[in-house]
């Protein structure tokens, strides 16, 4: 690790400090303000360290030792974007002190997320991913007890840890031709699926909103982006024989997830409709990245930005107008961000196979229907408005979804340093 | 019988103990057996240092679990996870029978698969079999687990199995990272071994 990357352990320390402050003194306002200043310092240091120019992250994957930490522009963008999504949530939904534990944990989880995003060592990634998922499991168990979905997350934490460690263990042998590449691909695909909440490991993901709106933020803010970048790096850095099978597996799993959760979002009850649409989009993002093209990655990242913006609006208890705009934003109606991400994915899928493009279009239709039902329920519900400043911020965030759809290339370049 | 086969047999025995153990004492015995058994396998290519690390983590965890009865702060699972209501669940087989049946399946799968695995360029069918079986036992413990302690023991099994195989592949460069990845579940096992189960037995 170079001296310049000392920012990562320092940042991790800061994250821990802020989390501890919010956790301990969550009922008061000053921890959030102090924490905000500390985090702003970390973010400023990250940006000054990295600059705003795009720098590609080295595509390498090691199993022996700790490897190196590579702080690419995309990783910086995902970290800063995650924190910004958390800040949006706090501003729009408010912080009444009851969710201080969730807020603290979301801040603290930035540290293992940063390690996963920057390390090129598979055992280190296994370690940090287990820390990330394990912390969420502990939190959920404390909040809700051992419900089925909490137990599922506990099991999947260990399964992701197992799959990544086993993949690391046999990677040197795969490179030498002494172990089957298909086995390595299955292990890596299982790890990615478990980390992101893709079928067959998505039961906890779609139902997470039941634990409380703020409790599902861990998944949207950290686990999905970390899983996306992890998938992109695994696909790019695996030996060719592994990467081919890995991509095929992830395309299949992602599409199956999107179809399953798309149908459930359309036909299921109103409660939890948004997490089901998110689960459906996670499937689409998984598929998009598995295409291993710049356009596919851009499609996934646009969808991620859409949910970072819209998610905070769905968490708020009041504010009908921003929520209505958020439903339109994620529905896939042009020219909002949801449309931009999905149309990019359809174009990418069409260049691989017409069948894939038709399946993606089917998913887009399911999402449009589900969002329409959500909009109808939202309009029919008793109109509630939050305080004027929050309502205004909510409207600005919702309109940002429109801006994202109109200028997706510029938005991606600004936030994540990507040029599709 | 060669030394490699003997040590691989020790690794297999350790995994079998971890497959069938129950209760805090069983967890302690499992951690000790896994440390000694798979440490022995790791020593085939890494020598005494690798044995010391794997066996040291296993033995340390076993000692801490065993003494956790006298030092409640060590087994702070209830503080960590909160109190858990216990749910009754009917099963056709007792959980140990279920583990035994799946373990037999895992044994055959490991036997078949070990022939296709090589640790680097070295032919290591016996030791690879022990590592693979330990990993499978971990997955079985997680899949059939009835509480947090099962998850922690499963994680320890997979971490030890994978790390040992990694040590066989690249003995001189993975000791520190192996120590890190087996310490995490060992600490979790110490903390969670006395937590209430999620489900009662049949």
């Amino acid at each position: 690790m170079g001296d310049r990357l000392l920012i990562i352990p320092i940042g991790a320390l800061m994250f821990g400090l802020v989390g501890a402050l919010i956790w301990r003194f969550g009922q008061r306002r000053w921890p959030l303000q102090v924490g905000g200043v500390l985090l702003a310092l970390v973010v400023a240091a990250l940006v000054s360290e990295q600059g705003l120019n795009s720098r590609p992250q080295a595509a390498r994957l090691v199993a022996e030792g700790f490897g190196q930490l590579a702080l690419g522009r995309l990783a910086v963008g995902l970290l800063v974007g995650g924190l910004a999504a958390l800040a949006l949530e706090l501003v729009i939904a408010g912080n009444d002190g009851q969710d201080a534990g969730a807020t603290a944990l979301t801040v603290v989880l930035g540290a293992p997320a940063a390690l996963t995003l920057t390390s090129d060592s598979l055992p280190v990634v296994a370690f940090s991913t287990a820390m990330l998922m394990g912390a969420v499991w502990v939190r959920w168990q404390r909040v809700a007890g051992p419900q089925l979905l909490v137990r599922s997350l506990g099991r999947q934490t260990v399964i992701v840890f197992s799959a990544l460690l086993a993949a690391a263990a046999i990677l040197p042998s795969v490179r030498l031709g002494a172990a089957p590449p298909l086995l390595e691909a299955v292990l890596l695909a299982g790890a990615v699926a478990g980390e992101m909440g893709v079928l067959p490991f998505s039961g906890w993901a779609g139902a997470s909103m039941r634990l409380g709106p703020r409790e599902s933020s861990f998944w949207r803010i950290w686990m999905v982006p970390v899983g996306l970048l992890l998938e992109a790096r695994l696909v790019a850095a695996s030996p060719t024989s592994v990467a081919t099978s890995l991509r095929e597996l992830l395309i299949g799993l992602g599409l199956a997830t999107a179809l399953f959760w798309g149908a459930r979002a359309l036909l299921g009850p109103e409660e939890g409709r948004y997490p089901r649409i998110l689960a459906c989009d996670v499937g689409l993002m998984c598929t998009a990245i598995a295409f291993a093209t710049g356009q596919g990655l851009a499609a996934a990242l646009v969808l991620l930005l859409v949910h970072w913006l819209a998610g905070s609006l769905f968490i708020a208890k009041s504010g009908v107008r921003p929520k209505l705009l958020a439903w339109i934003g994620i529905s896939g109606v042009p020219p909002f961000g949801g449309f931009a991400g999905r149309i990019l994915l359809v174009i990418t899928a069409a260049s691989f196979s017409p069948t894939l493009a038709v399946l993606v279009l089917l998913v887009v239709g399911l999402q449009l229907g589900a969002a329409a039902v959500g909009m109808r329920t939202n309009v029919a519900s008793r109109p509630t408005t939050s305080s004027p400043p929050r309502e205004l911020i909510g409207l600005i965030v919702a309109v940002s979804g429109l801006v994202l759809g109109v200028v997706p290339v510029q938005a991606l370049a600004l936030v994540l340093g990507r040029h599709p | 019988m060669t030394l490699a086969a003997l040590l691989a047999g020790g690794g297999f025995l350790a995994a079998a103990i971890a497959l069938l153990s129950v209760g805090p004492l069983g967890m302690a015995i499992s951690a000790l057996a896994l440390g000694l058994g798979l440490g022995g396998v790791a020593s085939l290519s890494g020598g005494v240092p690798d044995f010391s690390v794997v066996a040291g983590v296993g033995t340390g965890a076993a000692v801490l679990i065993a003494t956790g009865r006298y030092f409640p702060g060590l087994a702070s699972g209830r503080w960590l996870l909160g109190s858990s209501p216990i749910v009754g669940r009917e099963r056709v087989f007792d959980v140990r029978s279920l583990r035994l049946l799946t373990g037999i399946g895992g044994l055959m799968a490991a036997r078949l698969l070990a022939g296709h695995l090589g640790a680097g360029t070295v032919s290591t069918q016996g030791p690879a079999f022990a590592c693979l079986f330990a990993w499978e036992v971990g997955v079985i413990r997680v899949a059939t687990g009835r509480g947090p302690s099962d998850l922690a023991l499963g994680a320890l099994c997979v971490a030890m199995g994978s790390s040992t195989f990694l040590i066989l592949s690249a003995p001189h460069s993975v000791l520190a990272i192996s120590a890190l990845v087996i310490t995490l579940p060992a600490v979790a096992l110490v903390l969670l071994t006395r937590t209430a189960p999620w489900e009662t037995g049949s």
Side-chain angles (χ1 to χ4, degrees):
Chain A
M1 185 175 65
D3 291 341
R4 297 170 69 227
L5 289 177
L6 273 177
I7 186 65
I8 291 175
I10 294 170
L13 199 65
M14 287 270 200
F15 275 115
L17 187 60
V18 172
L21 275 174
I22 300 172
W23 186 292
R24 178 68 183 83
F25 303 104
Q27 303 287 345
R28 301 175 193 171
R29 285 189 178 276
W30 67 264
L32 265 182
Q33 290 158 356
V34 173
V37 172
L38 285 175
L39 281 178
L41 285 174
V42 174
V43 169
L46 279 172
V47 171
S48 65
E49 164 77 23
Q50 197 58 35
L52 287 174
N53 297 321
S54 176
R55 189 180 78 179
Q57 199 157 8
R60 63 194 288 268
L61 203 61
V62 296
E64 306 93 342
F66 287 93
Q68 291 179 338
L69 296 178
L71 192 63
R73 174 70 178 85
L74 182 55
V76 172
L78 289 174
L79 282 172
V80 175
L83 288 174
L86 171 64
L88 265 184
E89 217 180 86
L90 287 173
V91 169
I92 293 172
N95 177 43
D96 53 8
Q98 290 177 347
D99 292 323
T103 307
L105 188 59
T106 313
V107 174
V108 171
L109 289 181
L115 195 56
T116 312
L117 290 172
T118 53
S119 175
D120 65 356
S121 161
L122 262 184
V124 172
V125 169
F127 176 83
S128 52
T129 310
M131 294 290 286
L132 180 68
M133 295 181 71
V136 177
W137 168 58
V138 167
R139 166 76 191 169
W140 284 5
Q141 172 104 13
R142 284 174 69 92
V143 170
Q147 294 184 12
L148 186 60
L149 76 103
V150 177
R151 283 182 282 165
S152 301
L153 180 63
R155 288 201 169 100
Q156 279 152 41
T157 301
V158 185
I159 286 172
V160 169
F161 181 64
S162 317
L164 280 172
L165 272 187
I170 64 168
L171 184 62
S173 305
V174 170
R175 288 209 172 109
L176 291 167
L182 183 61
L183 182 61
E184 177 82 2
V186 169
L187 289 169
L188 292 176
V192 169
E195 209 278 336
M196 288 172 68
V198 169
L199 281 178
F201 303 118
S202 65
W204 58 270
S208 60
M209 194 73 117
R210 264 192 277 141
L211 296 179
R214 191 62 71 72
E215 299 299 331
S216 63
S217 300
F218 308 119
W219 175 43
R220 182 172 54 86
I221 291 180
W222 290 131
M223 288 162 72
V224 172
V226 164
L228 286 180
L229 192 59
L230 178 63
E231 180 186 349
R233 292 173 61 195
L234 290 176
V235 167
S238 299
T240 313
S241 54
V242 176
T244 309
S245 309
L246 179 61
R247 288 176 51 204
E248 286 167 0
L249 281 169
L250 287 173
I251 287 172
L253 290 176
L255 271 178
T257 306
L259 283 167
F260 176 75
W261 284 109
R264 288 209 59 190
L266 180 64
L267 304 172
E270 179 57 31
E271 187 198 13
R273 196 180 302 282
Y274 171 67
R276 290 196 289 271
I277 290 183
L278 175 57
C280 177
D281 267 337
V282 167
L284 288 184
M285 293 180 216
C286 178
T287 303
I289 289 189
F291 286 131
T293 62
Q295 204 172 37
L297 181 59
L301 294 175
V302 168
L303 287 175
L304 178 68
L305 291 183
V306 166
H307 284 285
W308 270 351
L309 290 170
S312 54
L313 296 168
F314 288 116
I315 282 172
K317 292 188 180 79
S318 53
V320 169
R321 280 173 294 183
K323 273 187 190 172
L324 185 60
L325 271 175
W327 275 120
I328 298 171
I330 63 166
S331 65
V333 171
F336 284 84
F339 171 76
R342 284 166 200 146
I343 200 70
L344 266 176
L345 176 56
V346 171
I347 294 167
T348 314
S351 66
F352 276 78
S353 147
T355 313
L356 286 178
V358 169
L359 286 173
V360 173
L361 278 172
L362 180 60
V363 173
V364 171
L366 288 172
Q367 285 182 316
L368 184 62
V373 177
M375 272 183 261
R376 192 182 61 189
T377 313
N378 190 67
V379 169
S381 66
R382 194 166 57 87
T384 54
T385 51
S386 49
S387 64
R390 280 192 185 151
E391 185 89 359
L392 181 64
I393 294 170
L395 282 171
I396 292 171
V397 171
V399 171
S400 304
L402 175 66
V403 176
L404 176 63
V406 174
V407 286
V409 176
Q410 289 81 354
L412 276 187
L414 177 69
V415 182
L416 300 169
R418 298 298 304 180
H419 302 277
Chain B
M1 185 181 281
T2 62
L3 179 65
L6 199 63
L7 291 175
F12 166 74
L13 192 63
I17 290 170
L19 179 71
L20 297 172
S21 63
V22 288
L25 184 62
M27 298 293 163
I29 293 171
S30 299
L32 182 66
L34 283 169
L36 295 177
L38 291 173
V41 176
S43 72
L44 280 170
S45 71
V48 175
D50 295 52
F51 171 79
S52 309
V53 167
V54 179
V57 173
T59 309
V63 169
L64 289 174
I65 292 166
T67 54
R69 197 185 337 173
Y70 307 106
F71 304 102
L74 281 175
S76 49
R78 190 166 181 175
W79 169 81
L80 196 66
L81 296 177
S83 51
S84 303
I86 297 173
V87 182
R89 184 170 170 181
E90 295 299 322
R91 282 183 191 269
V92 178
F93 299 107
D94 179 62
V95 68
R96 273 209 266 195
S97 311
L98 193 64
R99 279 192 226 144
L100 187 63
L101 286 176
T102 47
I104 291 168
L107 183 69
M108 289 190 280
R111 181 76 187 84
L112 286 172
L113 206 54
H116 298 282
L117 287 179
T121 52
V122 185
S123 173
T124 53
Q125 192 165 342
F129 166 74
C131 297
L132 194 54
F133 186 60
W135 188 86
E136 286 177 351
V137 165
V139 174
I140 289 169
R141 291 284 322 208
V142 171
T144 61
R146 292 177 166 187
S149 57
D150 288 314
L151 297 189
L153 182 59
L156 185 65
C157 288
V158 298
M160 286 214 171
S162 304
S163 297
T164 305
F165 193 81
L166 195 56
I167 288 171
L168 291 174
S169 300
H172 302 300
S173 55
V174 296
L175 195 54
I177 189 70
S178 298
L180 180 73
V181 294
I182 58 177
T183 302
L184 176 69
V187 170
L189 184 61
V190 171
L191 290 175
L192 300 179
T193 201
R194 289 176 203 282
T195 48
W198 290 324
E199 298 164 3
T200 56
S202 56

